[in-house]
Every structure is written in structure tokens, then in C-alpha cells.
Amino acid sequence: MWAWACRASPSPGTWSANACVPLHNSSSKVAEPNKLRMERAHRLSPLHSVHALASEAKRFCEMGQLDKAFDILSEMDKLGYVPSNGLYWSLLNLCKKKKACTYASQLYSRMGSLLLDSSNYFLAEYLISTLVSCSALDAALEVFYKLPHKTTYSWTAVINGHVESGDALEAIKLYSLMLKEGFQPDEFTCVSLLKACTNTSNLEIGKRIHSYARQNGYHHDAFVGTTLITMYGKCDSMADAEEVFAEMPHRGVMAWTSLLAGYVERGQGRKALLLYRQMWEECLVLDEHSLVVALQACCLIAEKEKGMEIMEGKVHKVIALEIGGALHADARRKGFDSGLYIRNVLVLMYGKCGDIRAAESVFCSLKKKNVALWNAMLSAYTEQDLPDRALQLFKCMHEEGQYPEERSFVISLQACSLLSEKEAAVTVGESLLKLKSLNIGEALRNDAKRKDYDSNLYVSSALLNMYGKCGDLTTAKRLFDGLSQYGIVLWNAMLSAYVEQGQSDNALQLYQQMQAEGLGIDDITLISVLQISGQTGSIDFCRQTYIDLVFGGFDLRPLVTFNLIYAFGKCASMVDAQAVFDSLPVSSLVPWNALISGYAQQGEIEACSYYFKKMQQVGLKPNGETYFSLLAACSSAGQVRQGVRYFNSMVKEHGLTPQIEHYEMMVNLYGYAGELDKVEEMLSRLQMELNASLWLSLLKVCVKHGNLQLGKQAFDCAVCLQPREATAYLLMSTIYVNAGLSDLANHLEISRQKEGALKKDETSWCEHQQRLFSFSVGDHRKLNQHRMYECLLELIRQLKDEAQFLGSKFLLSNAATTKLQPSLCSHSQLLALAFVLVNPPFKKPVRVKKNACICQDCHTLIKLISDVKNVCIIIVDDKCSHLFKRGKCSCHDYFYAHSKGE
């Protein structure tokens, strides 16, 4: 046909050339198309040739073949033809659709001076829009600032470009500049600016734009309304979001879903699910995104729901699981359940609801998995305290060729930390380490280092937490010191590691360093600081922290205030704890538990009973923690019958299953009251595996009552579970010594040394002149050491008659001599007490905190000191609070015969 046209006329018309193009394009057998185009171009007149090539380039644009269209453009350049605005428009449109940054940049270079012509401002503005869509913001800004005349369209394009690139603050600055130059936003500008406010949580400017949109009638636009709802949801102003939603004349699925997402964002799962049900009732065509948000709401419900034991110890969140299962069925009916995104959320939902089998079923049903799905399954395992399965799954990721990302390592390190909680520590040097978990954690760190993830903020934080849980604070501190960037997350992780291992002095020093460097604090920081206060018994520090959190606005954070009550309770300051409690609403069980726990530590059984009854009157049901505190209070007060009634009501009235810690309290309750036969009967009926803590409690009871046979049984079981823990050896040795079996006690000491069972580092703290001082066993580093020992010696001499009256053989032997025996004068609580007494003036009552139980002789001695010196002394140990006054103790000597301790 082309040859015929050439023979018929030396210059065939445009019609014939254009008519041939489809023939050549549709033929798959035509050879050398470039040669054909060049031959045609030479035969055509210049005017007809440019039209033909432009037409062909446009046709390639319509077909989406951008590379071929640019080939034609190159030929036009060689022939000296200038493309028309229409061709540029077609090319820009295709570049925008395909996000073809390279081709869009080439067009920008080609158009050059064309953009300076004011008659081409439409084309220049469209070029800006295209460059923004192709993520070439810098080039778009170059064009924008060269424009002789700007319009709202061009301003909107560059504002949107900054929003899409994550620089929302710059977008808001451009908005201010736009207003100064006299341009007014349109509905599209409003949408971009509202997105900027969403990203920066700038509620003030967001409301200003909302007001402008309302004045100009834009708020009825579906996109503006939907973006307003999203903005208000992100800015924690759900009342405004609901108002916008109610005023919308036409609500599409996007508007409903935005409100749904707002509720989820603010943790209002119940409202979100009610809204989802309303969407369903109004017969809206729900999309996949709506279902995903509804499933996320279900996860929120699961987090707040109390689990119910179904079978074999498996706990399910029944209500959330039922809702989630219905949503899953809905997704299956609509054909959405095959998508990766929805499957990720399904796995997370089932994991939070406790149905691991369902989570595994969803996970395994998909052959091709992405890293997000693997992470979801990892999270499900850690959520249900299955660290072994989580770590095994992480190994499978490698085996199946799926490369983990930062989040994969964070979850796996969390699983490692969970694993350490189930592992017994072993003595390595002077440290107690969880070696199995530590080795796995080290392997994970090496793997993360190879992928250059170890410098990630959250991976580093998870590593610090893992080292803290495993007891390796040396490596944790080395890692912390070697980090190139420090955020509050990392400081909190290191602080928590110190608190985890009871290194309160180091934790306090780190917190003071944070303050010196002007770092801000958050909830996690304050919770760790309050735990430090509780560990050290520092009432002044606790009160100062209370002031800090009030001025920082943290007193409205429930988790912080709950920990504040616990901290005051551990500092034996129930007046402060009661004041904080009285300022809180009664809607949550946690503050009630915290208050009852504080009174239990003081041995105030009547206060515990009063608040136990009152919490039920306001509609709150007790849980296992509530009953643990009640049993502890009964144990401290020696109220066996009342303790038994509480234990029975736990099962019969509230359907709670007693855990090992409740049985441990019953061992104390029966044991210290001398009812050892009931202890043996109860333990013989137990179907659960007993832990070392319970056997040690039983061993302490046997020390008091001198029960050699039962004590030996408890000792053997405790040592079997914790062979390198010295407490059992020391308690059994005391039983042997009291029974006159010194040879067996010596033999046991040799065995302890062979096993490498180290004594626990026992520390006492005291506050003096607004400073916190710590003392360890035989501490010779403190000032006024000589004066401290002289003080104790003088007290012993003064107490000779009182000691004779109380019949303390150990004190009598010391009082008869001219100097103290080292075994007593080196006890940490006595050193702390003497330090305060020899450095007047001091606050009354004198407060000392100890991280272990005080021994019999110290207990007797401090009673006498309180009488002779006429001073009130509070000693808080890990069992209870002892208030010594006028020669008596608030515990009524109920725990009189404990181990020799230090």
C-alpha cells in the first residue's frame, strides 16, 4: 500500500501516511519499522511529516508504550521538528500514570524556555503535577519558582508534593506563603493541607482549614469530608470527627471507614465495631479496608477482655474471638480472605484472642508469604507466651529463603526475653545468667549485625531488654555506650535492664544522667523510676517523682499513677498511696489492687478487707492479684482462718483458679502458724509442678519450727530446681545448727562451695539529708565507718539487760564482750541504721529498705534500739514492713525466726 501511494504521487497526502500507521503497527511480520518511518519522513513534506510522527507518538501513548513514544520523539528531534503542546500533554499524562520519573525529567529538560511563555502556563502546571507524581519534587519546585504566573493549581501541586514526600511542615509553610501572595485554596488544596495537619497532628491549623472549607462550601465535598474525619481522628478529637461525619450529605464507604479507623486509632474498639455493624445494616458495599479496620478493632477488644480458660490451660478471649471469627467468615464470603494484607491482620487477631491453631491455619494456608505475614505469626506466638515456637518460626524464615526485616528481629528478641523468664539462672563469675536465652540472643544479634540492623533504634532497644532479662548487664552497658544515637527508647531500655536486675544504684545514676543531659521523659521512664523508688524505699525520691509527673501532665496516665500507688506502698507510706488512690476514678481494678497490696505489706488486714469489700460494691470483680495480696496480709497478721476463707472464696465465689503463688502464700499462712500437717496435706493434693520459690517458703517455715525431716525434703527439691542458689543451703544449715548438728552444717557449707552456689548480694538503703545511701554486707567504703561500729558497740552495751530479758543468745554473747562480732555488725541494715544515727540531724521515722528478709538477731536488736534511743524505725524487707517503736514491732514477731541471712 505504501509503495502504491509513492508511485501514485511523489508527495502522498497525510491521509495515506496516517492510514498506513495502524497497518504497520498491527502487523507482526513487518521488518525494520525505523527504516520505514525514516523513508516516510523523507518523502513527506515537513508539515505533513511532523503531524504523522506526532500522531504515531500519541497513538503509542494511548497504548501505554512510553518507550516507543519517546523513540518517535527522538526522531522528531533529529528531523528538527518541535513537538506540539498536545503531544507534550499526552506524554506527561502517560508519565504521570506510570510514575516514570526518568522520562518526566527528560520532558522537563526538553520543554525548557517553552515554560516561560505565559500562554503555556497550563502545560507548565501540568508538568509540575507530573513531576510531583513521579517523586521528582526538586524538579517540580524549579519549574514552580520559574513560573511567571502562578495559580491555585500550581500551589496545590507543590503543597501536595511536600505532603507526599513526608515534609508536612514545609507544606504548611507554603500554605502561609500562598495566602500572603493572595491565592485562596480550593477543595483540592484543602485536602492536601488536611493531610499535612494529619501527619503533624496540627489540630489548630486543621480547624482553621475546616472553617475555611465550611465558609466556601467545600466541607460537603466527599474527599474534603473524609480527610477531615481522618485528621480529627489522628489529632484525638473524635467529637469533631463525628460532627463532620454527621454533616456529610453523602457518606461513601471511605467516610465510614475513616471514622472507623479514627475509633481504632484512639483505642475505642467497641465504638468501632458498633459503627461497622451500622455500616452492614445500612447495606453499604464494604471493601477490604473496612474489614481490616474492623479486625483491628477486634484486636483492641481482645486486649481489654479477660481471658477464659477453655481446656488444657488454654486461655481464649471468647467475645473477641467470636466477633473476629464472624468477620473472618464475612471476609471469606466477599472473597477478601485471600489477600496478604487481611491475612496478616487475621493472624494477629487470632493471636491476641489466644486461638493459636486458627492463626497457624491462616498462616499455613498461604503458600507464598511475605515478611509481614511471618512477622504477624511471630507476634502471635510471643503474644501467647510461646517463645520456643516463635524462635523456631524465625529459623524457618531463613530456611524458606525469607529475609527477616528489623521488626522480625525485634519480635524474635522479645521471644528470647520471654524464654529467659522460664529459665533458671546459673552463676558465671559474679553474675547470674540465663545462658540458653543469652546464647540465642547473641546469635540473633550477630545475624542482625550482618544485615546492618543492629544500629536500628528498636532492634537496639530489644537487645538491651534481652541482655537485661538474661542478667548480662556488662554487655548491655557496652552496647549502650557504643551506640551512635540515643533516643528516649534506648535510655528507657537501659534503665529497665538495671531495674530488672535490682541494680537500683546504677539505675538511679543513669536517670540522673538523663536529667543532666536535658532528655525528656515519658511513661516508661517514670514507671522505671517509680520501681527504683520501690526497690530502695526512697520516700523522698518517690515524692519528688510524683511532683515531676504532675507538672509533666503524667498524673492523668493510668499506668503511671497505678505504679505510683505501688511505689508508695513499697516505701511504707500508705498516707501518700491513699491520697493518690482517692484522686483516681474507680473504673479500673488495678489501683484497687495496688492499694490493697500496699496495706498487705504493712500487715493491715482490716484495711485490706475493707477495700476488698468496697471494690466489689462499686462493681469490680477481684482477680488473682487481689487474692494474693489478701493472703499475704493474712499471712503477715497470722489470720489463718480468714486466709482460708479468702482462698476458698477465690474458687467458689469468683471461679478463679489458684496459681502457684497462691499456694505459696498458703504454705506461709499454715506454716508460720505451726500447722505443718495441713501444709503437707495441701502439697500432696496439688496437681501442678511446684517451683523453687514455694519450696524455699516451706524451708523458711521449717527453720522457725525446727522441722528437720520436712525441711530436708524442701531443701532437696529446692536445690534440684536451683542448684546454684545459696538460699536453700543457708536455710538448711540454720536448721542443722539449731538442732545441734554442726557437722552436717559444715558438710553442707562445703557442698555449697563445690556447687558454686553464691550468696545473694543483700543491700540496704537509707535516706539522709535528701541523699540516698546504699550498704552491702560488710561495706567498708562508707564514711564514718569507725563511728558506725562504735555506735553499734555502745548500743549493745546499753542493751545487755534488755537482751537478757528477751533471751537472745546471740545478743547476749555480743553484749558480754568488749567488741561486736563481725557476723552481726556487718549486716547491711544495721550499717544503714547506724549511718543515720551517727549523722544527726535525721528525719523521723528512720527508714531503711532491704532487698531480703531481716534475720532474727537484727530484728531483736532493732526493737531494742527503738526503745533505748526513743526513735521510730521503719525497716521494709522483701516480706513486709516492720515498724519498730518502743521496743515492739508491728509484725508481732510473727516472722521472728528467719534465716541468719547475711
Side-chain angles (χ1 to χ4, degrees), residues 578 595-596 599-600 604-613:
Q578 186 72 58
L595 189 69
I596 292 173
Y599 280 120
E604 297 187 27
I605 183 65
E606 291 181 1
C608 291
S609 300
Y610 171 76
Y611 285 103
F612 177 66
K613 292 176 183 176

Side-chain angles (χ1 to χ4, degrees), residues 826-851:
S826 63
H827 286 199
S828 62
Q829 66 271 18
L830 289 182
L831 291 174
L833 179 59
F835 177 79
V836 175
L837 294 177
V838 300
N839 288 286
F842 51 81
K843 285 185 178 181
K844 296 181 181 180
V846 176
R847 294 174 177 269
V848 175
K849 170 75 176 182
K850 186 180 179 182
N851 64 350

Side-chain angles (χ1 to χ4, degrees), residues 498 502-512 532 535-536 763-765 772-775 781-782:
Y498 280 135
Q503 294 197 12
S504 303
D505 293 342
N506 288 332
L508 182 58
Q509 185 179 359
L510 186 70
Y511 177 64
Q512 290 169 343
I532 296 169
Q535 287 180 357
T536 60
T763 305
S764 293
W765 294 268
L772 186 66
F773 295 89
S774 64
F775 297 84
R781 298 170 298 166
K782 303 299 176 194

Side-chain angles (χ1 to χ4, degrees), residues 52-344:
L53 290 175
S55 179
E56 189 172 3
K58 287 181 181 178
R59 189 170 287 107
F60 279 130
C61 287
E62 291 171 2
M63 296 168 63
Q65 299 180 10
L66 192 58
D67 51 347
K68 291 184 178 180
F70 266 82
D71 287 343
I72 300 293
L73 199 62
S74 299
E75 289 184 19
M76 294 177 71
D77 285 343
K78 291 176 184 178
L79 295 172
Y81 298 157
V82 178
S84 65
N85 286 2
L87 178 56
Y88 275 131
W89 196 281
S90 297
L91 291 166
L92 286 170
N93 188 45
L94 186 56
C95 287
K96 191 173 185 179
K97 287 181 180 178
K98 290 183 170 289
K99 310 286 186 188
C101 182
T102 303
Y103 285 127
S105 299
Q106 287 182 25
L107 288 174
Y108 169 43
S109 301
R110 287 173 179 275
M111 294 168 75
S113 59
L114 184 67
L115 302 173
L116 302 177
D117 188 346
S118 59
S119 63
N120 294 322
Y121 76 92
F122 281 120
L123 186 64
E125 287 182 333
Y126 196 63
L127 173 63
I128 294 171
S129 178
T130 301
L131 290 169
V132 166
S133 297
C134 296
S135 303
L137 183 58
D138 291 339
L141 288 171
E142 285 182 20
V143 179
F144 176 75
Y145 288 119
K146 288 178 182 178
L147 288 179
H149 302 288
K150 299 178 179 67
T151 65
T152 297
Y153 181 89
S154 56
W155 280 101
T156 302
V158 292
I159 287 172
N160 187 58
H162 282 293
V163 174
E164 295 298 326
S165 65
D167 194 357
L169 289 174
E170 189 62 31
I172 293 173
K173 289 179 183 177
L174 278 171
Y175 167 60
S176 300
L177 187 60
M178 174 185 179
L179 294 177
K180 286 180 182 179
E181 295 195 9
F183 292 93
Q184 294 300 316
D186 60 12
E187 61 267 39
F188 300 104
T189 323
C190 289
V191 168
S192 296
L193 289 169
L194 288 169
K195 287 180 180 178
C197 294
T198 301
N199 296 342
T200 57
S201 298
N202 195 326
L203 183 60
E204 182 184 351
I205 295 180
K207 285 192 171 184
R208 203 181 304 164
I209 295 165
H210 183 191
S211 177
Y212 173 83
R214 188 191 298 275
Q215 291 169 9
N216 291 272
Y218 299 149
H219 64 302
H220 287 152
D221 180 87
F223 289 105
V224 174
T226 300
T227 315
L228 275 168
I229 293 170
T230 302
M231 184 272 295
Y232 280 127
K234 289 284 186 180
C235 294
D236 196 13
S237 184
M238 288 307 298
D240 290 308
E242 290 169 342
E243 184 180 344
V244 171
F245 181 78
E247 290 178 354
M248 291 180 71
H250 304 289
R251 307 184 194 105
V253 174
M254 288 180 63
W256 286 84
T257 305
S258 294
L259 187 60
L260 195 67
Y263 285 135
V264 172
E265 184 78 23
R266 304 329 310 169
Q268 300 177 17
R270 186 173 180 275
K271 274 192 173 183
L273 290 173
L274 288 173
L275 184 69
Y276 181 83
R277 187 176 70 177
Q278 188 178 347
M279 293 171 69
W280 186 80
E281 288 172 350
E282 295 197 13
C283 300
L284 289 169
V285 181
L286 303 179
D287 57 12
E288 184 177 356
H289 184 52
S290 306
L291 268 167
V292 166
V293 178
L295 285 166
Q296 290 171 341
C298 191
C299 292
L300 292 175
I301 296 293
E303 289 175 359
K304 296 178 181 179
E305 183 185 348
K306 182 182 176 182
M308 181 181 293
E309 189 171 341
I310 304 299
M311 55 181 294
E312 300 175 1
K314 295 178 181 178
V315 177
H316 285 179
K317 309 292 182 71
V318 179
I319 297 174
L321 185 59
E322 184 178 353
I323 297 170
L327 291 171
H328 188 184
D330 199 17
R332 192 180 293 114
R333 282 193 299 270
K334 291 178 169 60
F336 296 149
D337 64 322
S338 59
L340 279 172
Y341 185 35
I342 201 166
R343 289 203 178 202
N344 294 342

Side-chain angles (χ1 to χ4, degrees), residues 486-499:
Y486 293 91
I488 189 66
V489 175
L490 295 175
W491 284 89
N492 285 343
M494 192 67 234
L495 197 62
S496 298
Y498 280 135
V499 173

Side-chain angles (χ1 to χ4, degrees), residues 24-44:
H24 288 292
N25 287 341
S26 61
S27 174
S28 61
K29 299 181 180 180
V30 176
E32 299 181 76
N34 290 336
K35 182 178 179 181
L36 177 60
R37 283 198 296 270
M38 290 301 295
E39 181 183 349
R40 179 180 61 184
H42 285 300
R43 291 181 180 274
L44 291 174

Side-chain angles (χ1 to χ4, degrees), residues 595-778:
L595 189 69
I596 292 173
S597 173
Y599 280 120
Q601 185 157 348
Q602 314 310 310
E604 297 187 27
I605 183 65
E606 291 181 1
C608 291
S609 300
Y610 171 76
Y611 285 103
F612 177 66
K613 292 176 183 176
K614 196 171 181 180
M615 66 180 283
Q616 294 179 82
Q617 289 172 359
V618 298
L620 295 173
K621 293 183 179 180
N623 61 7
E625 185 180 347
T626 317
Y627 275 103
F628 177 81
S629 297
L630 290 170
L631 292 173
C634 292
S635 177
S636 298
Q639 299 293 326
V640 180
R641 298 294 167 258
Q642 189 170 353
V644 171
R645 283 197 297 271
Y646 280 136
F647 185 81
N648 291 334
S649 72
M650 179 181 180
V651 179
K652 294 177 181 178
E653 295 180 19
H654 296 100
L656 298 171
T657 303
Q659 301 301 312
I660 191 69
E661 59 268 21
H662 299 106
Y663 285 107
E664 184 179 341
M665 271 304 132
M666 292 303 292
V667 168
N668 287 330
L669 188 66
Y670 282 131
Y672 284 108
E675 300 183 24
L676 296 180
D677 54 336
K678 291 188 177 180
V679 173
E680 293 185 82
E681 181 186 351
M682 180 184 68
L683 295 181
S684 66
R685 288 188 281 104
L686 275 184
Q687 299 298 316
M688 64 178 66
E689 185 179 347
L690 305 185
N691 60 14
S693 179
L694 185 144
W695 289 115
L696 288 174
S697 293
L698 180 56
L699 195 52
K700 290 175 183 177
V701 166
C702 293
V703 171
K704 178 177 180 179
H705 297 289
N707 192 316
L708 182 61
Q709 182 180 355
L710 187 58
K712 185 64 170 64
Q713 179 188 347
F715 168 76
D716 290 338
C717 293
V719 169
C720 181
L721 293 169
Q722 291 183 344
R724 295 193 177 184
E725 173 61 50
T727 306
Y729 288 93
L730 299 175
L731 290 169
M732 193 64 215
S733 178
T734 303
I735 294 176
Y736 282 143
V737 170
N738 293 341
L741 303 173
S742 300
D743 291 341
L744 289 177
N746 294 334
H747 179 72
L748 195 64
E749 175 63 16
I750 295 170
S751 299
R752 181 188 71 79
Q753 293 177 4
K754 283 183 179 179
E755 288 291 336
L758 299 179
K759 296 181 180 180
K760 178 183 177 182
D761 290 334
E762 298 188 358
T763 305
S764 293
W765 294 268
C766 65
E767 283 183 316
H768 186 61
Q769 297 178 358
Q770 296 184 334
R771 290 181 61 192
L772 186 66
F773 295 89
S774 64
F775 297 84
S776 56
V777 180

